[in-house]
Amino acid sequence: MSETNPIEVQQALKGASYPADRKTLTDLAKKNHASEKVVDKIAHLKSDRIEGSDRVEKEMFRG
């Protein structure tokens, strides 16, 4: 199984307004037809409130 990459995440969160909560970003990823893998990773971000796309990537790819 391939790993999630930053481009997939950017596409999943296209149109996001920050700050945003985890549920809002998860719902947006579903609306943008992201893969289940990407949606799941967004749904399980550590922070409930995300200040920007850089924070999403930091949590997903750098722990």
Side-chain angles (χ1 to χ4, degrees):
M1 181 181 335
S2 66
E3 289 295 315
T4 304
N5 68 60
I7 293 171
E8 288 178 288
V9 176
Q10 289 172 1
Q11 290 171 341
L13 298 178
K14 183 176 181 177
S17 296
Y18 296 96
D21 61 51
R22 188 183 324 118
K23 182 180 180 333
T24 299
L25 295 179
T26 301
D27 291 345
L28 179 62
K30 289 177 184 176
K31 180 182 168 195
N32 287 337
H33 307 289
S35 70
E36 274 188 51
K37 177 176 58 178
V38 172
V39 171
D40 186 61
K41 284 193 170 218
I42 293 169
H44 290 93
L45 291 171
K46 294 175 190 167
S47 303
D48 183 51
R49 181 176 168 88
I50 293 86
E51 297 297 325
S53 59
D54 60 321
R55 300 302 303 168
V56 173
E57 290 192 22
K58 182 177 181 186
E59 287 194 31
M60 289 182 81
F61 300 107
R62 290 175 244 150

